[in-house]
Amino acid sequence: MKARLRIERLELAEPLRISRSTMSAREAVWLSVGHDGLHGHGEAVSSVYYGLDADTLVRLLTAVDLGRFAEPESALEALRAGELASSRAVPPAVTAAVESALLDLVGKRAGTPVYRLLGAAAPPVTATARTIGITSPVHAAAQARRLAASGFQLIKVKAGTPDPEDDVERVHVIRDAAPGVRLLLDPNGAWTTAQALALLPRFAGLGVEAVEQPLAPGDPEALGALAERSPLPVIADEDAVDLEDARRLAGRVHGINVKLAKCGGVHAALRIAELIDGSGTELMLGCLTASTLGLAPAVHLADRARWADLDGHLLLAHDPWSGIGGADGVVRTSGLPGLGVEEVRAAHEDVA
C-alpha cells in the first residue's frame, strides 16, 4: 500500500467564538491510502487545544508505516490491536485519520459501506445539532430562525462569556426565535461549580435539554457531583477523552461526548459505547470543525447515539468533500462503498 498526504486550509463561513477562543480557519491534513487501484481517505485537523498543527500532523502521519502491510485489512487489524504505529505516543487524531482511510479502502474493496462493516444493517440517518457561537443576540436570533426554517431540530448554543447574563440573553432570544427547536448548552468548561448551580436552573427554565462540560476539565469528581445536583443532564466532553475517562464517569454523568479525533477513531468510540451501555450514561457523538471527510466516520455510527453534534462541515465557507448531507439538519450515509464521500474539487499538491 502507498500513502499520500495533502494539506488544505478550511475557512469557516464566519468566526466561531467559544469561551476560550475564536476560530476562523483550521488546517486539514488528508491521508490517501492506495491499493490495487482503489483509494481510501482520512482527515486530521489542526487543534490549538490538543497542541496539533499541520506540520506535526504530517510528521506523525508520515511515521505510520502502512507500506509494510500487504493489504488494508491486515493494517486495520493491526490498528485495532494497537500495533500499527512505531510509537505508543501517537495522538488519537492521527489514529482516527489512519483508521478512516483504512475503513474507506476496506469498504471499497468489499463493495460495502462502512456502517455494514461495523455491524449495522440500515444506513444511519440522524438529526444533528447545529452550533451557534458566542455572538450578539440579534445575530443569534437570526441564525436560529434560519436554522429552524432549514429543518434543524437541535441547536447547540455556546456559552461561557465573562458576564453570564449575556449567555442567558442569547439563549432567551434563540428560544423565542425558534420555539420548536431543542437546545443544548456548551460553556466549554468556563464555569465554577457555584456558577453552574446558580445558572443551570435558569437555563432549564428556558427549555435547555442538556449542558456539556460546564466545569473546567481536570476534576471529573466535581463534574460527577454537579451532575447529581443539576436540573439538566450533564454531558462530559473535555473530561472524557478516552476509555479510562469514560470508565471513571460511567454512571456519574448523564452523557459522554465522544469525538473520534479525541478518542482515537471508530473502534475506540465503539468500545466507549459498549462500556457505558446500561450505566445510565448515554452516548453523544461530537466532532471538531472539519470537512465532510473528517465527519463521515462518525456519521456511520450516528444511529447509536442519543445526541449527534456532527455539524463541523456545515460551519465551513466551502466544504471540499460531499456525501453526508446535513444542510437540512439531518446527516446520513450515502450508501456508496466505504465512507461514501467524494472530493468535489482539486486540492493542494501532495506534501508527502
Side-chain angles (χ1 to χ4, degrees):
M1 292 189 297
K2 293 185 178 180
R4 300 195 316 272
L5 297 174
R6 295 184 287 176
I7 295 177
E8 180 80 0
R9 184 172 176 83
L10 303 176
E11 300 280 353
L12 274 65
E14 62 180 65
L16 177 65
R17 180 186 170 196
I18 66 174
S19 62
R20 61 175 178 254
S21 63
T22 299
M23 180 178 61
S24 58
R26 73 186 334 153
E27 301 291 328
V29 179
W30 296 342
L31 169 66
S32 177
V33 179
H35 183 70
D36 286 347
L38 295 174
H39 292 86
H41 305 283
E43 176 179 88
V45 293
S46 61
S47 170
V48 174
Y49 184 78
Y50 291 112
L52 295 172
D53 59 21
D55 290 341
T56 300
L57 289 170
V58 167
R59 175 175 56 80
L60 292 168
L61 285 164
T62 301
V64 178
D65 182 13
L66 293 173
R68 63 191 175 95
F69 296 96
E71 68 285 315
E73 291 80 4
S74 59
L76 186 59
E77 192 61 36
L79 181 145
R80 294 173 184 172
E83 300 169 353
L84 183 59
S86 58
S87 170
R88 299 289 179 177
V90 175
V94 171
T95 304
V98 174
E99 182 194 44
S100 170
L102 293 173
L103 281 170
D104 191 27
L105 184 52
V106 169
K108 288 173 178 175
R109 278 165 56 85
T112 192
V114 164
Y115 69 82
R116 290 192 181 276
L117 298 179
L118 303 176
V125 178
T126 192
T128 178
R130 174 65 159 79
T131 298
I132 294 180
I134 294 174
T135 187
S136 71
V138 171
H139 189 50
Q143 284 184 298
R145 280 191 292 270
R146 185 178 71 252
L147 292 172
S150 298
F152 282 86
Q153 305 168 33
L154 183 62
I155 289 175
K156 183 164 85 168
V157 186
K158 290 293 187 178
T161 54
D163 183 357
E165 294 303 321
D166 292 341
D167 297 331
V168 174
E169 181 181 9
R170 188 165 54 262
V171 172
H172 192 280
V173 299
I174 289 171
R175 168 54 70 218
D176 286 348
V181 170
R182 297 157 53 208
L183 298 180
L184 301 175
L185 190 70
D186 185 8
N188 287 107
W191 295 341
T192 65
T193 296
Q195 286 176 316
L197 290 172
L199 290 168
L200 289 176
R202 300 177 66 185
F203 287 116
L206 290 170
V208 171
E209 180 176 314
V211 59
E212 276 186 70
Q213 196 67 44
L215 306 182
D219 191 350
E221 288 298 319
L223 191 67
L226 175 66
E228 292 178 0
R229 304 172 63 186
S230 173
L232 293 175
V234 172
I235 302 169
D237 182 359
E238 288 89 343
D239 264 327
V241 175
D242 57 20
L243 187 68
E244 290 309 308
D245 291 336
R247 197 184 309 278
R248 282 190 289 270
L249 287 164
R252 300 288 312 281
V253 296
H254 303 90
I256 286 178
N257 186 347
V258 173
K259 299 173 181 174
L260 303 191
K262 180 176 68 170
C263 72
V266 166
H267 287 90
L270 289 173
R271 287 193 290 270
I272 292 174
E274 181 180 9
L275 171 70
I276 65 176
D277 185 37
S279 70
T281 296
E282 297 189 87
L283 180 68
M284 178 178 187
L285 275 175
C287 64
L288 301 180
T289 303
S291 77
T292 280
L293 174 59
L295 271 289
V299 175
H300 284 264
L301 300 175
D303 56 340
R304 305 168 194 244
R306 159 134 184 220
W307 301 280
D309 179 24
L310 300 174
D311 69 337
H313 62 307
L314 303 176
L315 304 179
L316 301 180
H318 175 77
D319 185 354
W321 295 79
S322 67
I324 60 172
D328 60 350
V330 177
V331 290
R332 52 182 70 79
T333 57
S334 68
L336 295 172
L339 292 175
V341 301
E342 296 177 308
E343 192 176 350
V344 296
R345 67 175 172 83
H348 293 165
E349 294 183 359
D350 297 358
V351 297

